[in-house]
Amino acid sequence: MKFTEKNMDISRRSVERLILYRKLLIRYEESGEAHIFSHKLAELADRTAAQVRRDLMAVGFPGSPVNGYQVKGLIKALSNFLDDPVGQNAALIGIGNLGRAVLEYCWKRHPKLKIVVAFDNNPSKVAVNIHDCECYDISALEENIVSHNIKVAILAIPATAAFSISQKLLKSGIKAILNFTPARLPIPDNVYIENFDIMRSLEKAAYFARKLDSKK
Amino acid sequence: MKFTEKNMDISRRSVERLILYRKLLIRYEESGEAHIFSHKLAELADRTAAQVRRDLMAVGFPGSPVNGYQVKGLIKALSNFLDDPVGQNAALIGIGNLGRAVLEYCWKRHPKLKIVVAFDNNPSKVAVNIHDCECYDISALEENIVSHNIKVAILAIPATAAFSISQKLLKSGIKAILNFTPARLPIPDNVYIENFDIMRSLEKAAYFARKLDSKK
DNA sequence: TTTTTTCTGTGAATTTCATCACACCAAATT
DNA sequence: AATTTGGTGTGATGAAATTCACAGAAAAAA
Ligand SMILES: NC(=O)c1ccc[n+]([C@@H]2O[C@H](COP(=O)([O-])OP(=O)(O)OC[C@H]3O[C@@H](n4cnc5c(N)ncnc54)[C@H](O)[C@@H]3O)[C@@H](O)[C@H]2O)c1
Ligand SMILES: NC(=O)c1ccc[n+]([C@@H]2O[C@H](COP(=O)([O-])OP(=O)(O)OC[C@H]3O[C@@H](n4cnc5c(N)ncnc54)[C@H](O)[C@@H]3O)[C@@H](O)[C@H]2O)c1
């Protein structure tokens, strides 16, 4: 069954890896390679070849035992699987240190996914244009979220403001939130949320550093 | 067996949750509560009560069927399990937008884990002191990592510099790296690495936003 | 031509992770 | 005094994720 239909359910972890594979493949293609074997892609992604092939089953792009996968075709198949054909817009809430770093970083990285609007309550930060992204006052949040058909938001405001803004986002039809504030937001389960907390990541890193350092 | 010894192997996910529990408990304690039941902690952490109790087995702090867990004691037991008794120091490499945001955010958040040194190759950023953190020229990296007994590093430099710096970190005995650059770093498996890539997280969020939005 | 090699695609086995369900306990209730 | 209530700690069970292992296919080697 080479051309598996792509409406099968797929795990969060698997999607994560598919996104990584695509990124690695784009880089790999730039180095001039036209084909790649699962074990090579696995090496780049730091996974096993079997897992790579399993993950790719969801995408349904066939490889050949002789040459492996055609890189260009696989990238296209992955994009077809992962991206919205029309493209998706995202919003940034909070144009502080972190918000600006994110804006800078995400600029022009993805042809189908762009941060097109940002919001802040500090007048000095609005009415400007950073990297193709229009900056508005926070009072214009709802109307712009709706009018730009935005379903993804990045929260980078102080924790104290996080809850009330998240409620507004939900009301405006947001379906995914990347939450950089340390606040825990109550979210219905038909909305995706990912909480980032660098302090917690640092604690985890420190825990394992200690374990690894004490071994041998 | 109430007082399980804590040298059992514990999964990465479980450690992650224990760190979250502690944070939630500290907040909970501030609200004046002295005791907590597993189902309440589960609710705060958005997990099940059974999983909370399972996770806590590793810590070995007993709860009572009548009052649940004593919050103060549990926080202490978690800290005892998670933290280095002496404390750990971390280093930041790259004092740019992102680096400064991280430095600001992590400042005074943890009594046993501190970013004590930072490095940059831009002279205008060194020889200053941000939030108790000394900023040095990158050439002083190795000696300071060693002299401060640092095992955890945060990489927030341009991707092009990531590989060579990571090699220096490894040589200096680093055991964990939080990598914010999009570079993939080859790391021996006795060193912990966590790769952050907001673009990839955003892609994932967009994927699930799309799926959730198309359902019903 | 026949055999060997090598890699894909995927059922089956295995391992890892999460939940279930219950023995046990102490307080509250009858 | 007996019974009910509600929560912990954990063995047993179930589900999910990963790895194994092999049929099949096509090129390369013999
Ligand atoms: N997850 C992490 O690792 C991490 C790292 C750094 C910072 N943070 C968190 O991310 C958030 C932003 O961090 P930062 O360093 O950029 O802070 P910052 O203070 O530099 O930026 C916050 C921005 O939000 C704006 N703002 C404040 N209230 C607002 C409101 N009600 N509506 C709209 N905009 C508002 C401010 O004007 C400011 O521009 C904070 O919650 C911080 O704790 C998280
Ligand atoms: N993971 C993410 O989501 C994310 C988000 C934003 C930025 N980033 C990445 O994080 C890194 C830093 O981002 P930023 O926005 O802070 O960039 P930045 O340009 O503001 O900061 C980079 C800093 O590194 C310093 N630097 C450059 N070369 C160096 C070297 N060889 N040794 C020491 N210091 C050096 C520069 O002087 C500068 O201060 C970049 O790789 C960027 O792509 C990642």
Side-chain angles (χ1 to χ4, degrees):
Chain A
M1 241 203 297
K2 293 270 177 170
F3 296 97
T4 315
E5 259 318 312
K6 62 187 183 197
N7 40 9
M8 69 165 59
D9 251 5
I10 184 171
S11 77
R12 197 176 269 214
R13 312 289 272 300
S14 199
V15 170
E16 224 164 273
R17 288 190 298 265
L18 290 175
I19 291 169
L20 174 61
Y21 300 156
R22 172 169 63 175
K23 190 183 107 168
L24 296 169
L25 287 166
I26 289 170
R27 211 177 276 172
Y28 191 72
E29 191 185 24
E30 279 164 7
S31 78
E33 302 282 347
H35 295 269
I36 191 169
F37 290 119
S38 63
H39 59 82
K40 178 64 184 171
L41 182 50
E43 184 200 318
L44 296 176
D46 207 14
R47 307 283 163 174
T48 69
Q51 185 166 55
V52 168
R53 295 200 302 276
R54 261 263 168 255
D55 287 336
L56 291 184
M57 282 175 70
V59 174
F61 183 79
S64 108
V66 183
N67 299 310
Y69 303 88
Q70 193 219 336
V71 177
K72 196 190 286 284
L74 183 49
I75 292 171
K76 192 168 276 185
L78 281 164
S79 295
N80 189 48
F81 180 87
L82 293 168
D83 299 340
D84 186 303
V86 176
Q88 280 167 287
N89 294 328
L92 169 69
I93 332 286
I95 316 171
N97 269 321
L98 187 64
R100 271 196 310 274
V102 168
L103 210 46
E104 168 104 20
Y105 181 70
C106 294
W107 183 55
K108 287 196 175 170
R109 286 211 174 237
H110 199 296
K112 290 293 180 72
L113 183 55
K114 288 171 183 152
I115 302 176
V116 296
V117 282
F119 304 91
D120 205 292
N121 70 351
N122 182 333
S124 76
K125 303 200 173 165
V126 308
V128 293
N129 219 307
I130 311 174
H131 293 322
D132 307 331
C133 175
E134 292 170 13
C135 302
Y136 297 106
D137 185 81
I138 189 69
S139 60
L141 182 71
E142 284 114 316
E143 56 175 299
N144 277 285
I145 295 285
V146 173
S147 70
H148 287 87
N149 190 34
I150 288 172
K151 300 295 169 190
V152 185
I154 302 166
L155 258 198
I157 53 179
T160 46
F163 175 74
S164 89
I165 297 291
S166 72
Q167 293 296 103
K168 288 185 182 157
L169 290 171
L170 293 178
K171 280 211 196 81
S172 314
I174 281 287
K175 285 292 167 184
I177 297 177
L178 296 193
N179 177 29
F180 283 94
T181 80
R184 303 278 306 174
L185 303 172
I187 291 288
D189 53 338
N190 66 342
V191 173
Y192 172 97
I193 185 160
E194 184 164 345
N195 295 300
F196 292 86
D197 191 331
I198 297 184
M199 195 63 229
R200 294 220 315 276
S201 298
L202 192 60
E203 289 175 48
K204 187 163 41 127
Y207 176 87
F208 286 109
R210 192 152 59 89
K211 293 290 153 191
L212 289 164
D213 201 39
S214 67
K215 256 187 219 165
K216 252 192 324 150
Chain B
M1 236 202 298
K2 295 268 175 172
F3 296 97
T4 316
E5 261 315 315
K6 63 185 186 201
N7 41 9
M8 67 165 58
D9 251 4
I10 184 172
S11 78
R12 197 175 272 215
R13 311 289 272 300
S14 198
V15 170
E16 227 164 87
R17 288 189 298 265
L18 290 175
I19 290 169
L20 174 61
Y21 299 156
R22 172 169 62 175
K23 191 183 107 167
L24 296 169
L25 287 166
I26 289 170
R27 213 177 275 173
Y28 191 72
E29 191 186 23
E30 279 164 7
S31 77
E33 302 283 347
H35 296 267
I36 191 169
F37 291 118
S38 63
H39 60 82
K40 179 64 186 170
L41 182 50
E43 184 202 318
L44 297 175
D46 207 12
R47 306 283 163 174
T48 69
Q51 184 167 53
V52 168
R53 295 201 301 275
R54 252 266 165 255
D55 286 336
L56 292 183
M57 282 176 70
V59 174
F61 183 79
S64 108
V66 182
N67 300 310
Y69 303 88
Q70 193 218 337
V71 177
K72 196 190 285 285
L74 183 50
I75 292 171
K76 193 169 274 184
L78 281 164
S79 295
N80 188 46
F81 180 86
L82 293 168
D83 298 340
D84 186 304
V86 177
Q88 280 168 288
N89 294 327
L92 169 70
I93 331 286
I95 315 172
N97 269 320
L98 186 64
R100 272 196 310 273
V102 169
L103 210 46
E104 168 103 20
Y105 181 70
C106 293
W107 183 54
K108 288 197 174 167
R109 285 210 176 239
H110 199 295
K112 290 293 180 71
L113 183 55
K114 290 172 181 147
I115 303 176
V116 296
V117 282
F119 304 90
D120 205 293
N121 71 350
N122 182 333
S124 76
K125 303 201 175 165
V126 309
V128 293
N129 220 308
I130 313 175
H131 293 322
D132 307 332
C133 175
E134 293 170 11
C135 302
Y136 296 106
D137 186 81
I138 190 71
S139 60
L141 182 72
E142 284 114 314
E143 56 176 298
N144 276 287
I145 295 285
V146 173
S147 70
H148 286 88
N149 190 34
I150 287 172
K151 301 293 170 190
V152 185
I154 301 165
L155 259 197
I157 53 180
T160 46
F163 176 74
S164 89
I165 297 290
S166 72
Q167 293 296 103
K168 287 184 183 157
L169 289 171
L170 293 177
K171 281 213 194 80
S172 314
I174 281 286
K175 286 291 166 184
I177 297 177
L178 295 194
N179 177 29
F180 283 93
T181 80
R184 303 278 305 174
L185 304 171
I187 291 289
D189 52 338
N190 66 343
V191 173
Y192 172 98
I193 186 160
E194 184 163 346
N195 295 300
F196 292 85
D197 192 330
I198 297 186
M199 197 61 230
R200 292 220 316 278
S201 298
L202 191 61
E203 288 175 48
K204 189 164 37 126
Y207 177 86
F208 287 108
R210 192 152 57 90
K211 293 291 155 192
L212 288 165
D213 202 37
S214 68
K215 257 186 219 164
K216 255 194 320 143

